[in-house]
Amino acid sequence: MNCKAKTAALSLVLFLAAYSFAKDKPKDSVITLQGSITDSQCAFNVHSETHSHEWMIKRGVQNASDDKSCTLHCVKDMGGSYVLVVKKEIYRLDDQVKAELFAGKNVKASGTLDAKSHTLHIFDIQEDK
Amino acid sequence: MVAVKCAVAGLFCLFLALSAGAQSRVIEVLADKDSHFKIAGQSKPEITVKAGEPVMLKISARKGKTWNRDGTVHGFTLLRRKDHVKVSGWDLELRPGTQEFTLTAPSEPGEYEVLCTVICSEDHEGMRMKFVVLP
């Protein structure tokens, strides 16, 4: 076998190996979720059966008078992070800057889900009016 | 020969890592059920470290009045005081019992604040502690 034939054969083997690997690897599918952007503290806590800010607002916590202000307070002043609450499911969000724009609002967010960390990698997020 | 060199290099790295771990200062903190951080011997708890210093945080946590659904009872999150920016790697979730965390102090000297990130009682908002980074 001459040198060109060897190179061609090697290229073919590499191509087939790469193709086979790519074919078997599951692709992350894009999902769209409808829910509200809230803070991790209110969302994860047992006091909040509805994953809402009701408990904080009822207690008259300073800077927490409605959904938006409570979300911003818990993240900016108290070290929390923005999350997406869909019914009783809570998704962590990779893009905290984008999420902040919708603090306390209902949104439609699309992206891929990292099942292990339950984190949504946001592609697009829009207010759901 | 290459394999032997790699093995020696690996052992050397392991030795360095273990040495660094052994040099970390141990700071013991109690995240208590009354929503206060406590440090033995301090009436007002405060942590002071040197910039970039390796530290081992040994934190004991006791469940307060409320906790998170995943079993986390307190948080231990470090924020830069001037702008409330979180310090990377210092966002810890505490479960009941004692946990150890090997961390590196922020490289930027200044005043920081440790906050609890789990709503642990009506006094949760006050569960904070001063953290100073010296040059």
Side-chain angles (χ1 to χ4, degrees):
Chain A
M1 202 184 280
N2 63 23
C3 189
K4 275 186 184 174
K6 275 183 188 169
T7 308
L10 185 63
S11 301
L12 183 65
V13 169
L14 286 174
F15 172 77
L16 289 173
Y19 174 75
S20 156
F21 178 74
K23 195 181 73 166
D24 293 341
K25 195 181 173 189
K27 284 179 186 168
D28 292 332
S29 52
V30 176
I31 57 169
T32 299
L33 299 166
Q34 278 176 283
S36 61
I37 299 293
T38 181
D39 61 276
S40 53
Q41 306 201 23
C42 287
F44 284 113
N45 204 264
V46 290
H47 76 73
S48 169
E49 284 176 8
T50 54
H51 303 277
S52 72
H53 307 282
E54 201 183 326
W55 193 76
M56 294 279 282
I57 295 168
K58 208 184 281 179
R59 280 179 47 231
V61 172
Q62 205 180 1
N63 301 328
S65 55
D66 55 22
D67 291 359
K68 182 177 179 177
S69 61
C70 186
T71 304
L72 291 170
H73 168 66
C74 289
V75 174
K76 288 182 166 288
D77 302 333
M78 295 302 298
S81 53
Y82 297 105
V83 295
L84 175 67
V85 174
V86 182
K87 291 178 184 168
K88 287 196 170 183
E89 201 75 18
I90 304 162
Y91 298 87
R92 293 182 188 275
L93 300 169
D94 67 334
D95 193 335
Q96 292 286 298
V97 177
K98 244 182 220 174
E100 187 178 324
L101 300 171
F102 300 93
K105 291 180 178 171
N106 289 327
V107 296
K108 229 183 232 183
S110 58
T112 56
L113 184 66
D114 179 344
K116 200 177 170 189
S117 62
H118 215 59
T119 300
L120 185 72
H121 300 285
I122 302 172
F123 288 169
D124 185 46
I125 183 166
Q126 287 175 12
E127 191 172 353
D128 188 16
K129 291 181 181 173
Chain B
M1 189 60 188
V2 174
V4 174
K5 279 182 184 171
C6 286
V8 170
L11 284 172
F12 182 66
C13 288
L14 183 66
F15 170 74
L16 285 180
L18 289 173
S19 304
Q23 286 167 4
S24 296
R25 183 155 62 96
V26 178
I27 298 169
E28 291 189 44
V29 178
L30 172 63
D32 214 349
K33 59 184 176 187
D34 61 0
S35 296
H36 283 88
F37 289 114
K38 295 173 184 173
I39 294 178
Q42 293 186 16
S43 56
K44 200 176 175 189
E46 183 178 318
I47 294 175
T48 303
V49 296
K50 283 184 184 168
E53 179 187 351
V55 291
M56 154 100 66
L57 281 181
K58 193 172 177 182
I59 309 176
S60 299
R62 291 180 184 162
K63 195 190 251 186
K65 286 184 183 168
T66 60
W67 51 91
N68 279 0
R69 288 178 178 81
D70 64 358
T72 310
V73 295
H74 293 291
F76 187 103
T77 297
L78 190 62
L79 303 185
R80 197 164 54 194
R81 186 173 281 231
K82 64 180 179 188
D83 52 11
H84 275 206
V85 168
K86 277 187 194 179
V87 177
S88 176
W90 286 74
D91 192 5
L92 314 174
E93 295 183 334
L94 309 176
R95 289 170 184 273
T98 303
Q99 291 163 266
E100 292 180 349
F101 305 90
T102 304
L103 302 162
T104 305
S107 55
E108 189 187 324
E111 280 199 14
Y112 293 76
E113 195 168 33
V114 176
L115 295 174
C116 173
T117 49
V118 172
I119 299 173
C120 48
S121 75
E122 290 87 351
D123 299 323
H124 159 66
E125 306 275 318
M127 191 165 179
R128 51 185 73 214
M129 173 170 56
K130 194 174 172 186
F131 189 104
V132 179
V133 178
L134 301 173

